[in-house]
Amino acid sequence: MSEHIDYKVSIPVIAQVDVLVIGGGPAGIGAAIAAARAGATTAIVERYGFLGGNATAGLVGPFMTSYSDDGETQLVKGVFDELVVRMEKIGGAMHPENVAAGSSFSGFFIKGHDHVTPFDPEAVKLVAAEMMVESGVQMFLHSFFMDTIVEDGCVKGGIILNKSGPQAIHAKVTIDCSADGDVAYKAGSAMEVGRKSDGMTQPMTMFFRVAGVDDEKIERYVEEHPEEQHMLFHTLIEEKRKTGEWQVKKNHLGVYRTTQPGVYRVNTSRIQGLDGTNVADLTNAEIEGRKQVFELIAFFRKYFPGFENATLIDTAAQIGIRETRRLVGEYVLTADDIVTGRDFDDVIALYGYPIDIHSPNEVTTEFDAAYHTANIYQLPYRILVPAETDGLLLAGRCVSATHEALGAIRVMPCAFALGQAAGAGAALASRNGVQPRHVNTAQLQKLLHEQGVVLPRDLKTAN
């Protein structure tokens, strides 16, 4: 039986800003700081009492590569690199220029793992907040996004909920950095979900951290077992998968040494077939994810050299979600775009991460050989712009891309880059009194260059 109640309240308008950012993860951090530094009055809304999103609440790490596929050129700088450098100064990160593929910090992987960035999530919380304050961003923490304010097909801000009750924030431009495209969805923007064949999305993962790991013992094991250097313990996992002792639906291990001795992040649990925008599925995913954590720790202690005395530090505050809704934008980025390295006149970011798709329904995780991406590929401004809705930009993993293309651009350094582009674009739209879709992209590229973003012109200069 379905029942509804009418619940009407008078909602106070607590702020009127040029740019409103919904979501304080990597994309939101990049967006809010970029907008504020471009002269826009800016507010950011985040449901937790800290910023960082998957980097903090999700315990996801390290930051995947910010470099070209050949490891020669750092492609993501700007806000992202400033955050990393500042964290490094307080002992909370290692700059990616100092981290090589195949090391314990990169999980011993090679493909897509050259120049990753190990970091302490507590450092992200502090430094990101300091950068917001210094940039003049008004922060609304402990605040949930409830609904989009829409007038005549144009987004005019959002309604949030916190301890003070429901509140409204009016904005000239709103940036959806919710990861799930919540603002765009509520505004009626066209969205897609999952792969084209069946709508299934990449699985969820409960990240966790363990202490008491013998770093030197793992290094010795890798030296003595060169066949496992680039996929740690995979022979043992395959053997125990056949006997039924390894029950996680994943065929390899993801463990990453952190900035703290003996402490590793684990990216190995897998929950398939659930919807990251459905509260019942999220609840079940949290329970199943933590159940798998304890099963994995028991397995690690029993079989993995160096993990005999491993102890659980913590599980993430929330399940890690790779894919939910994606915008249908003015342009839909495809796998072919990033395989061929297609040039775009409205390029606003460069990236080099491979197409990394965790199977929605099988055991495998593959960097798909059929989609060998260009060494450096371009991301156009139009993937941030809804096909029809005005007053709105999106950044992060909810941008306009196919399921396959999203496999490459869903990771956190790229989210920072897309967020910074959205923030700068929103500031220009507000300043010039135009809709985001009508922003002069030459002006946007100039502004991004001034903010330290790497664009094709910088590569030509470097060469």
Side-chain angles (χ1 to χ4, degrees):
M1 180 179 177
S2 178
E3 294 184 359
H4 295 82
I5 63 171
D6 291 327
Y7 186 71
K8 297 179 180 180
V9 296
S10 177
I11 300 176
V13 177
I14 56 167
Q16 299 194 38
V17 296
D18 295 329
V19 177
L20 170 62
V21 179
I22 302 294
I29 293 170
I33 291 172
R37 289 180 177 176
T41 56
T42 305
I44 188 168
V45 173
E46 167 55 43
R47 62 175 167 167
Y48 292 107
F50 50 84
L51 302 169
N54 269 333
T56 51
L59 285 184
V60 177
F63 291 130
M64 285 292 99
T65 185
S66 53
Y67 276 64
S68 54
D69 185 61
D70 63 8
E72 294 296 319
T73 308
Q74 187 175 354
L75 301 176
V76 183
K77 291 187 177 180
V79 171
F80 169 76
D81 199 61
E82 180 182 339
L83 178 80
V84 172
V85 169
R86 291 177 62 152
M87 290 195 296
E88 187 180 31
K89 289 179 179 177
I90 61 172
M94 294 174 60
H95 195 275
E97 66 183 1
N98 301 316
V99 184
S103 70
S104 54
F105 295 106
S106 62
F108 300 99
F109 293 109
I110 297 293
K111 184 66 174 175
H113 288 68
D114 198 5
H115 299 295
V116 300
T117 305
F119 66 91
D120 185 338
E122 296 304 316
V124 176
K125 293 176 184 178
L126 174 61
V127 175
E130 288 178 338
M131 291 171 68
M132 290 286 175
V133 172
E134 292 164 9
S135 300
V137 178
Q138 186 175 7
M139 290 185 285
F140 294 89
L141 303 181
H142 301 284
S143 298
F144 285 83
F145 167 75
M146 283 182 61
D147 207 350
T148 310
I149 301 171
V150 183
E151 297 177 8
D152 299 324
C154 182
V155 173
K156 298 291 187 179
I159 297 173
I160 64 174
L161 178 66
N162 52 41
K163 284 288 188 179
S164 300
Q167 300 173 323
I169 301 175
H170 283 157
K172 295 176 182 176
V173 181
T174 301
I175 308 177
D176 185 344
C177 298
S178 67
D180 300 316
D182 291 336
V183 182
Y185 177 75
K186 291 279 191 178
S189 302
M191 313 290 285
E192 291 183 342
V193 177
R195 58 189 181 189
K196 198 166 187 178
S197 60
D198 56 15
M200 294 188 72
T201 60
Q202 293 194 56
M204 305 179 195
T205 291
M206 176 59 71
F207 265 76
F208 62 101
R209 293 186 294 183
V210 293
V213 179
D214 190 328
D215 298 327
E216 294 182 1
K217 192 169 186 178
I218 293 177
E219 297 286 355
R220 286 198 304 271
Y221 178 87
V222 170
E223 290 176 3
E224 295 167 2
H225 297 80
E227 74 281 1
E228 295 197 8
Q229 279 187 350
H230 306 320
M231 195 171 283
L232 185 64
F233 302 138
H234 74 93
T235 303
L236 179 58
I237 288 172
E238 183 58 27
E239 173 190 326
K240 297 304 178 183
R241 192 167 70 85
K242 291 177 180 177
T243 65
E245 291 180 82
W246 177 269
Q247 296 188 352
V248 176
K249 293 182 179 179
K250 186 173 183 177
N251 62 352
H252 71 270
L253 182 69
V255 291
Y256 298 88
R257 186 176 176 181
T258 72
T259 55
Q260 299 168 308
V263 177
Y264 280 69
R265 296 179 192 251
V266 185
N267 174 10
T268 303
S269 69
R270 172 169 284 185
I271 300 98
Q272 296 171 318
L274 299 181
D275 179 358
T277 64
N278 179 286
V279 68
D281 281 2
L282 285 170
T283 300
N284 290 333
E286 298 282 357
I287 297 169
E288 173 59 24
R290 291 187 173 87
K291 176 173 177 277
Q292 289 185 21
V293 166
F294 279 84
E295 292 172 350
L296 285 165
I297 288 179
F299 188 96
F300 289 6
R301 289 173 181 155
K302 185 175 181 181
Y303 291 114
F304 290 164
F307 283 84
E308 295 89 346
N309 298 311
T311 58
L312 178 65
I313 298 177
D314 52 6
T315 59
Q318 67 170 64
I319 194 76
I321 301 172
R322 294 181 175 87
E323 180 183 14
T324 53
R325 305 184 191 104
R326 305 186 310 275
L327 174 71
V328 177
E330 287 199 329
Y331 186 84
V332 179
L333 190 75
T334 68
D336 186 63
D337 292 331
I338 60 181
V339 167
T340 62
R342 180 166 290 128
D343 290 338
F344 294 100
D345 290 339
D346 60 337
V347 55
I348 42 77
L350 302 177
Y351 210 47
Y353 189 68
I355 293 178
D356 175 14
I357 299 178
H358 295 237
S359 175
N361 59 339
E362 298 177 358
V363 173
T364 59
T365 302
E366 302 292 347
F367 291 116
D368 200 320
Y371 298 115
H372 184 77
T373 61
N375 182 46
I376 298 172
Y377 49 86
Q378 300 184 6
L379 303 177
Y381 177 68
R382 286 166 292 160
I383 68 173
L384 314 180
V385 184
E388 296 179 353
T389 312
D390 280 328
L392 180 65
L393 291 170
L394 286 80
R397 63 172 168 82
C398 54
V399 298
S400 181
T402 64
H403 169 79
E404 293 76 20
L406 184 72
I409 66 170
R410 62 181 173 81
V411 292
M412 292 187 287
C414 191
F416 275 101
L418 294 172
Q420 184 158 4
L428 284 177
S430 171
R431 179 194 308 169
N432 297 329
V434 300
Q435 290 299 333
R437 72 179 73 256
H438 298 311
V439 164
N440 183 307
T441 52
Q443 291 182 0
L444 174 57
Q445 290 162 347
K446 181 177 183 294
L447 175 55
L448 289 172
H449 176 75
E450 292 169 354
Q451 291 192 353
V453 171
V454 180
L455 294 173
R457 61 187 275 188
D458 302 297
L459 300 182
K460 293 175 183 176
T461 301
N463 291 333

